[in-house]
Amino acid sequence: MKKQHTAHTGVVVQGALLLGLATVTSKLLGTLQKIPLQNIAGDGVFGIYNTVYPFYILLTVIATAGIPIAVARLVADAEAAHDRTGTYQIAAAGLTMMSITGVVGFVAMYMGAGNIAGWIGNMHTEAAIRASSYAMLILPILAVLRGYDQGRGRMATTAVSQVVEQTARVIVMIVLLLVLYVYESTEAELAAGAAFGSFAGALFAFMVLVITMVRRRWKSVQHMRATGTIQAPTIRNSISDMSGVWLWMRRLAWTALPICLGAVVVPMMNVVDTFTLPRLLNESGASELEAMEQFGVYSRAFPLVQLVTMVASSLAVGLVPALVLAQRSGDAKQVQSLTAAAMKWTWLLAAASAVGLIALAAHVNAALYMEDKGTLVFVLVACTALPGALQAVCAAMLQGVGAVAAPALHLLVAALVKVSLNVWLVPTFGLEGAALSALASLSLAALLGARSLARAGGAGPSVWAWGSARLALALAAMGGAVWLTATAVAHLCGGGRGGASAATAIGVLLGALLFGALAVTLRLVRPAELAALPKVGRRLAALATRLTRDN
């Protein structure tokens, strides 16, 4: 019995790791797909897409954020109680509720596209809003199916569907962009084609899940017939009692609502720019298309900043289960240790990434987007990598210690501050003002998160001062060396996009190696901490021991 339990636990852990890897992969694809969009269609289309996309994400989160978790939780409880009828009724309740939600969301976006574009202050976004609306017909249902499979312990199907969704989305987006570009479509039409990729991705993921579930059900029926096993309750019989389905719908709604309220605040930060920046640029004298081009330039560094935040938050999420156990057992010392470790690694990763992006800003800009327009804005946005990553990690740690509402409140305050700063700074400083407001508001959210974490028993703002002089020295040395080397490489390669690409590649490699060596030499990282890393940890720890011994 103990062996069976251990085996089951191993399967669950492997499934969770697989799902986590798929989530990171899908987010990576979703983030990097914006680069070919700008390369093919230009800053105008890039700006329109980045104006509409945060609004679409906000509506998607409202429609689907809490449902997969709620369905998974209730289905897992029903399966544990061997209540197959309850399992089917939960699925039916979720599908009914989210089908209605999806249709309402689609109609609201499609019919109200003109009004929404008017609120944004740019009618070039109308077609893209309408193209995005189709995904609302699929995504809510997809959320229920994923939650159902997760509740039954089938993580692989969800993982595959996530990767398929993002892969199909990127491929369809690029194909539509190329076709529309050949036919000399307008910027608005090109942006709509890119936005339609979200529907295509959701449709492919939905087909993968449905086909997998049908095949699984068919094999189960064939096995029962072959073995003479008594047939389990069918879906049709389970949902014949609609009163049970309505009861589960209410339970799903109440379970999903707090999760949704917590998740909706994050995209609100991006929606602030959607509903303020285009209008403020118009009022400063830019035409609607010029405002979209400027918005595209403003958005260039965000995919890279989001990668840094995503990696940092993924590392933090890996510590949450241990943090939850330490909190429940009352082990205050372990809570302090785990949160301090998370903050320390976030400082190292995010600060080094931010300085590296700043040092390579002109080269990265030209390498990825074919020209170095808006490099100062790129630098200012790159600075948000540090507070953005710290805020994300603090939010994950606060979830682990039970302070669930705090991150949402912090981001809500930050969003209000960003609105005020946009209105104040953009008319005077333009895109640089918008970047400064993003930096200030995220820094505020990070500070509030660190303060709440300290009050909840974790490591607080004092950790932020950890190794400040040595860290500043390592960052300055790394940044200076990277800038000088990248500038020399770009000059030797004759400039242009090829020179910028070579400078970026060599600069990133040099920065990583140099900062790693400095971190060990200056004892920002101890060999024992490196030894805990998977696979290469022991070799790194041995190398670090030799470096520190020589110094």
Side-chain angles (χ1 to χ4, degrees):
M1 192 71 182
K2 186 176 180 180
K3 289 183 179 180
Q4 290 179 350
H5 175 73
T6 304
H8 175 70
T9 302
V11 171
V12 171
V13 171
Q14 289 176 6
L17 290 173
L18 179 62
L19 186 57
L21 178 61
T23 301
V24 171
T25 303
S26 62
K27 285 183 178 180
L28 183 64
L29 289 170
T31 298
L32 295 182
Q33 54 98 18
K34 294 181 180 180
I35 294 172
L37 167 62
Q38 188 275 344
N39 287 190
I40 295 171
D43 285 323
V45 174
F46 191 55
I48 296 171
Y49 182 85
N50 280 294
T51 302
V52 172
Y53 189 68
F55 176 74
Y56 160 75
I57 289 295
L58 177 63
L59 288 182
T60 302
V61 168
I62 292 173
T64 65
I67 284 298
I69 297 174
V71 170
R73 186 179 299 171
L74 294 177
V75 165
D77 290 342
E79 287 290 298
H82 303 289
D83 181 9
R84 185 56 56 85
T85 297
T87 297
Y88 288 148
Q89 286 185 341
I90 293 166
L95 290 171
T96 302
M97 185 167 64
M98 298 314 292
S99 295
I100 296 171
T101 302
V103 170
V104 170
F106 165 73
V107 172
M109 283 187 71
Y110 190 90
M111 302 299 293
N115 291 330
I116 297 169
W119 298 337
I120 292 172
N122 197 299
M123 298 310 295
H124 285 86
T125 60
E126 181 177 357
I129 294 169
R130 193 166 281 122
S132 298
S133 66
Y134 291 99
M136 297 299 293
L137 295 172
I138 304 293
L139 283 173
I141 298 174
L142 193 60
V144 176
L145 296 180
R146 284 171 172 166
Y148 175 79
D149 258 9
Q150 290 172 37
R152 300 193 68 180
R154 298 164 179 165
M155 305 296 185
T157 311
T158 298
V160 170
S161 74
Q162 286 181 344
V163 176
V164 167
E165 179 184 356
Q166 291 296 345
T167 304
R169 175 184 167 193
V170 173
I171 292 173
V172 171
M173 181 197 76
I174 292 175
V175 170
L176 285 175
L177 281 174
L178 292 172
V179 171
L180 291 170
Y181 187 80
V182 168
Y183 284 95
E184 299 181 348
S185 300
T186 65
E187 283 84 353
E189 291 169 341
L190 285 165
F196 191 77
S198 298
F199 169 74
L203 182 61
F204 275 95
F206 174 76
M207 291 168 59
V208 166
L209 280 176
V210 170
I211 291 172
T212 303
M213 289 180 173
V214 169
R215 289 181 60 187
R216 188 185 295 131
R217 179 64 182 172
W218 173 254
K219 289 181 179 179
S220 176
V221 170
Q222 292 296 101
H223 176 73
M224 286 189 291
R225 287 177 178 174
T227 59
T229 308
I230 299 176
Q231 189 170 359
T234 63
I235 299 175
R236 182 180 301 175
N237 292 336
S238 298
I239 64 174
S240 60
D241 179 12
M242 286 304 297
S243 61
V245 174
W246 289 115
L247 177 63
W248 284 115
M249 285 179 68
R250 290 196 296 272
R251 288 193 62 182
L252 277 173
W254 283 112
T255 304
L257 183 61
I259 302 170
C260 179
L261 291 176
V264 79
V265 184
V266 177
M268 278 179 61
M269 285 288 291
N270 296 324
V271 172
V272 167
D273 281 330
T274 293
F275 285 103
T276 59
L277 192 50
R279 188 178 296 277
L280 290 168
L281 292 173
N282 289 340
E283 292 174 356
S284 299
S287 67
E288 287 194 351
L289 187 54
E290 288 172 344
M292 288 296 95
E293 290 175 351
Q294 291 183 48
F295 198 98
V297 172
Y298 170 71
S299 303
R300 287 185 175 189
F302 279 108
L304 301 176
V305 170
Q306 289 165 1
L307 283 180
V308 176
T309 304
M310 180 186 72
V311 172
S313 58
S314 298
L315 293 173
V317 167
L319 294 176
V320 168
L323 186 59
V324 171
L325 291 175
Q327 182 74 8
R328 287 179 179 175
S329 63
D331 190 346
K333 187 175 181 180
Q334 180 70 353
V335 170
Q336 282 274 345
S337 175
L338 289 169
T339 52
M343 297 287 279
K344 177 177 178 177
W345 283 106
T346 303
W347 259 109
L348 288 170
L349 171 67
S353 299
V355 171
L357 282 174
I358 293 168
L360 293 170
H363 307 295
V364 173
N365 201 5
L368 296 181
Y369 301 109
M370 299 184 291
E371 58 182 2
D372 60 356
K373 183 191 296 183
T375 295
L376 178 56
V377 178
F378 195 102
V379 167
L380 293 173
V381 173
C383 292
T384 66
L386 178 57
L390 288 169
Q391 180 276 322
V393 169
C394 284
M397 296 293 101
L398 284 168
Q399 295 277 347
V401 297
V404 180
L409 179 61
H410 301 156
L411 283 172
L412 181 60
V413 172
L416 294 175
V417 170
K418 190 171 192 338
V419 171
S420 302
L421 290 177
N422 271 3
V423 173
W424 178 36
L425 296 175
V426 172
T428 304
F429 300 102
L431 299 180
E432 288 81 3
L436 286 170
S437 71
L439 178 60
S441 57
L442 282 172
S443 297
L444 175 62
L447 284 167
L448 291 173
R451 184 167 173 265
S452 294
L453 188 60
R455 288 185 170 183
S462 59
V463 177
W464 291 37
W466 157 84
S468 54
R470 289 174 291 155
L471 179 60
L473 177 61
L475 292 172
M478 183 267 288
V482 166
W483 182 81
L484 288 171
T485 303
T487 302
V489 169
H491 179 73
L492 291 173
C493 294
R497 193 176 192 182
S501 299
T504 298
I506 293 174
V508 169
L509 180 60
L510 173 65
L513 293 175
L514 181 57
F515 184 77
L518 288 170
V520 172
T521 304
L522 296 173
R523 292 177 172 82
L524 295 172
V525 179
R526 297 190 303 272
E529 293 171 321
L530 292 173
L533 296 175
K535 293 185 178 181
V536 296
R538 291 184 179 179
R539 293 181 181 178
L540 291 175
L543 178 60
T545 301
R546 287 198 297 270
L547 284 173
T548 53
R549 186 180 300 156
D550 294 339
N551 291 278

